[in-house]
Amino acid sequence: MGSKPPVRKNQEIQLHIEGLSHEGEGVGRFDGFTLFVPGSVPGDTVSARVISLQKTYARALLMEIIRPSTHRVIPECASHHECGGCQLQHLAYPEQLRQKQIIVKETLLRIGGLDIPVLPVLGMPEPWRYRNKAQVPFGSEGGAIKAGFFARRSHTIVDLDRCPIQHPANDRAVAAVRFALATTGLPVYNEADHSGLLRYVLARTSLATGETLVVLVTNGRNLPRKETLVEIIRSRLANVAGIVQNINNRRGNAILGPEEITLYGRPYITEQLGDLSFRISARSFFQVNTIQTKVLYDKVAEYAALTGRETVFDLYCGTGTISLYLSRRAHRVVGVESIPEAIADAKENARINQIFNAEFHAGRAEETLPALCRKGYRADVVVADPPRKGCDPTVLKAITNMQPDRIIYVSCNPATLARDLKSLTQNGYITTSVQPVDMFPHTSHVETVVLMSRVDK
Ligand code: SAH
C-alpha cells in the first residue's frame, strides 16, 4: 500500500480473472494490484485496457478474451449485453453459486473480521422464469411501439418480448397489451415531452393459482376504448385475475402513481406460501422469486427452532410474510415496518389466514423497537431483514438489549451484513450458521440468512 500502482491509464494488460465483484464484474490481479473487468468471468485470461485508476484498484475495458474460462456459457437472452437486469448470464449457474458463496465468505472476513464457514448457496434446480413480477416501460420510435427495458444507464427503451427470467404469463401479459395498443391506436408515453398515455405495464403472476394481474400505468385519467382494451387482453391472456389502471401524471422515475381504477376483475392476485395465502396488489411488497422465498423462509423457520412458547420479533417485516410464516409455531409474533400501507397489508394477511397471535406496528425500527421494549415487550427470537443499508446502530443495540436467545439476520447486502454481525458479535452473540440463498439467479444479488446465538456468561 502507498506505493505507486503498477499500471497506468490506457495501458493494455493481460491478466487472469480470479473472482467476481459484488456487481458481477470479473476481478483479477496485476502485480498484486486489483482490476475490475466488466464482461469477464472467473477463469478467463483476458487482455484489458485500464480506463480509470484509483489508489487501490482500477477498472479496465475488456479488449479480448485470450483464453475463455471453462465456466463461460452463451447467454440465454439475446439482449444480455444491453439489459441491466442480469449480470451473470454468461457464467454457468453452478459457478454463479460458487462465486456468491465466495463473495459472502470474503466480505465477512474483510469487513466483519469474521473467519467463519459459509454454507454452499441454496440455488434453484431450474434457475429460469422465476420472476413473479414484470415492470415494462412502453414508448415508441418512428411510430413503432417499443416495450422492454431501459438500456443500461439510460432511458432508451430496448424492445424485448421474452425475458428468460420472467414468468411466461408476465411476458404474455406484456405482449397482449402491446397487441391491444397496436389494434386500438392508443398512444404510448413520450418521456421527453411528458405526452402520450401508456407508460408502463406491470404484471404479477401467482405460482399457486396461475392467475395474472395486469396493471396499465397511464399518464392521465382518460383511457379511451377501455372495453376493447380489456377484451383484447383477456382474449390473449388466460387466467386474468384483474386489469387495473394506475394513474401516474408525474414526471420522474416512480413507476406507480397514487390512484387506481379497476377495469376488470379484482385488483389483486392470491399467492400461496406453505399453507398461507397472501393477497398481492399492484403496490404490495412481495418477494419476486416465489419458489426461493419458500426456501428462504423455511431456513428462517429452521433457525428459529420454535416450540410454540416463543415471542418472535420480525423487524423490517414488509407485508408480514415472515411473521405469519412463523406464527403457527410461536406464542406470538410482532412485526415492525416503516411503510404504513405494508402494515395494513400485513394485518389483512393475518386476517385472511385467521392468525390471531400476530401484531404489526408501523414505524421505523429505530424508534419503534426501543419504544416496545420500554412498554415491556421481550423477545426470544429476533428476525431482521433490513434493506441494503443494513440495521441502524440503535436497532442493533435495542436487539441486544432484549437479549433474545437467537437472532436471525436476513440480508441482501453482504457488506452491511458483515458490519452488523461484527457489532452483534461484540455484544454477546456468536454466529452459528451462514446460509446464502439464491433469490435472483443470473444477477449479482446475494441473499444470506445468518443464525446467531446468545453467548451465556
Ligand atoms: N421481510 C419482508 C420484507 C423485507 S424488505 C419480506 O420478506 O417480504 C425490507 C423492508 O424494510 C421494506 O419493507 C422497507 O419498507 C422496510 N424498512 C426500511 N427501512 C426501515 C426502517 N428504518 N424501519 C422499519 N422498516 C424499514
Side-chain angles (χ1 to χ4, degrees):
M1 290 295 152
S3 56
K4 227 168 120 280
V7 294
R8 338 169 237 98
K9 203 169 163 188
N10 289 326
Q11 186 182 350
E12 197 166 323
I13 53 170
Q14 225 190 67
L15 79 166
H16 186 69
I17 302 299
E18 288 150 17
L20 272 188
S21 75
H22 64 277
E23 286 177 14
E25 302 153 328
V27 186
R29 268 168 228 289
F30 184 84
D31 262 3
F33 190 72
T34 303
L35 281 114
F36 293 91
V37 187
S40 68
V41 301
D44 281 345
T45 300
V46 302
S47 167
R49 184 193 298 276
V50 178
I51 48 173
S52 79
L53 193 55
Q54 313 291 328
K55 274 207 190 78
T56 54
Y57 66 91
R59 309 186 88 72
L61 193 66
L62 178 62
M63 303 302 285
E64 194 194 339
I65 301 167
I66 297 167
R67 209 161 351 97
S69 164
T70 52
H71 303 298
R72 239 179 207 287
V73 290
I74 295 168
E76 183 77 20
C77 177
S79 300
H80 176 61
H81 297 291
E82 298 160 280
C83 178
C86 295
Q87 297 80 35
L88 302 177
Q89 273 195 28
H90 54 318
L91 187 59
Y93 189 57
E95 185 62 13
Q96 291 180 20
L97 297 178
R98 211 178 68 84
Q99 290 296 332
K100 288 184 181 184
Q101 180 186 13
I102 293 172
I103 287 174
V104 175
K105 170 98 184 130
E106 287 185 346
T107 311
L108 289 181
L109 182 61
R110 182 168 46 86
I111 298 176
L114 298 164
D115 190 4
I116 46 178
V118 172
L119 291 161
V121 181
L122 295 173
M124 298 188 80
E126 181 52 47
W128 299 103
R129 300 255 166 222
Y130 60 81
R131 281 190 64 98
N132 57 31
K133 179 171 93 169
Q135 298 179 135
V136 175
F138 271 66
S140 72
E141 200 177 276
I145 296 171
K146 294 207 146 208
F149 58 88
F150 291 125
R152 255 177 239 245
R153 294 191 190 93
S154 97
H155 267 205
T156 308
I157 295 170
V158 180
D159 235 5
L160 185 74
D161 48 23
R162 179 186 170 275
C163 170
I165 62 166
Q166 193 56 253
H167 192 292
N170 291 340
D171 279 351
R172 282 198 291 276
V174 175
V177 178
R178 195 196 274 265
F179 183 81
L181 288 184
T183 311
T184 56
L186 284 178
V188 289
Y189 183 64
N190 180 350
E191 197 178 24
D193 61 4
H194 195 51
S195 67
L197 190 59
L198 188 82
R199 298 178 75 149
Y200 280 93
V201 171
L202 206 101
R204 301 187 92 158
T205 296
S206 161
L207 228 56
T209 62
E211 59 183 358
T212 304
L213 176 70
V214 183
V215 184
L216 309 172
V217 184
T218 58
N219 174 36
R221 163 183 273 278
N222 182 24
L223 180 60
R225 307 196 59 192
K226 282 190 189 84
E227 293 76 17
T228 317
L229 214 54
V230 166
E231 212 173 290
I232 295 175
I233 295 170
R234 286 186 56 206
S235 71
R236 303 206 134 221
L237 182 65
N239 225 340
V240 179
I243 303 174
V244 168
Q245 178 188 4
N246 175 284
I247 302 162
N248 181 3
N249 291 340
R250 269 182 278 179
R251 286 175 187 269
N253 291 338
I255 294 176
L256 292 174
E259 197 188 341
E260 250 173 49
I261 300 168
T262 303
L263 303 174
Y264 165 78
R266 50 183 154 80
Y268 60 86
I269 51 170
T270 306
E271 184 56 281
Q272 200 88 28
L273 278 180
D275 62 351
L276 298 173
S277 302
F278 295 96
R279 272 186 195 177
I280 307 172
S281 62
R283 210 179 279 284
S284 324
F285 180 85
F286 195 81
Q287 300 274 357
V288 298
N289 185 335
T290 314
I291 290 176
Q292 290 300 86
T293 299
K294 178 147 190 320
V295 173
L296 182 76
Y297 291 1
D298 281 340
K299 194 44 79 177
V300 173
E302 179 193 322
Y303 286 172
L306 300 172
T307 63
R309 292 189 297 271
E310 297 83 357
T311 297
V312 180
F313 266 70
D314 178 15
L315 305 178
Y316 313 89
C317 72
T319 47
T321 38
I322 294 178
S323 316
L324 298 175
Y325 207 75
L326 299 179
S327 66
R328 299 213 208 278
R329 284 169 267 190
H331 170 61
R332 130 160 122 157
V333 293
V334 183
V336 176
E337 158 66 42
S338 59
I339 298 178
E341 290 82 1
I343 287 294
D345 282 349
K347 289 180 177 167
E348 176 71 3
N349 285 329
R351 196 188 60 75
I352 293 167
N353 291 287
Q354 302 203 303
I355 289 170
F356 305 109
N357 63 339
E359 56 178 85
F360 295 99
H361 300 265
R364 293 183 348 126
E366 290 84 328
E367 291 90 37
T368 309
L369 188 58
L372 292 172
C373 289
R374 283 193 296 275
K375 280 195 192 155
Y377 279 74
R378 291 289 171 263
D380 301 295
V381 175
V382 171
V383 179
D385 181 7
R388 290 193 66 78
K389 67 172 196 272
C391 294
D392 190 89
T394 57
V395 175
L396 296 175
K397 189 151 184 296
I399 293 174
T400 51
N401 280 347
M402 286 177 109
Q403 303 197 332
D405 293 334
R406 289 180 290 289
I407 301 170
I408 298 156
Y409 194 126
V410 182
S411 158
C412 56
N413 182 351
T416 54
L417 172 70
R419 181 200 66 197
D420 291 352
L421 291 192
K422 182 177 182 184
S423 155
L424 292 166
T425 304
Q426 289 161 350
N427 287 288
Y429 286 82
I430 180 167
T431 305
T432 320
S433 308
V434 182
Q435 175 66 75
V437 178
D438 195 23
M439 300 296 283
F440 308 97
H442 312 294
T443 77
S444 51
H445 294 285
V446 184
E447 189 93 7
T448 313
V449 192
V450 174
L451 171 62
M452 300 189 92
S453 307
R454 197 178 49 189
V455 185
D456 286 317
K457 290 190 194 99

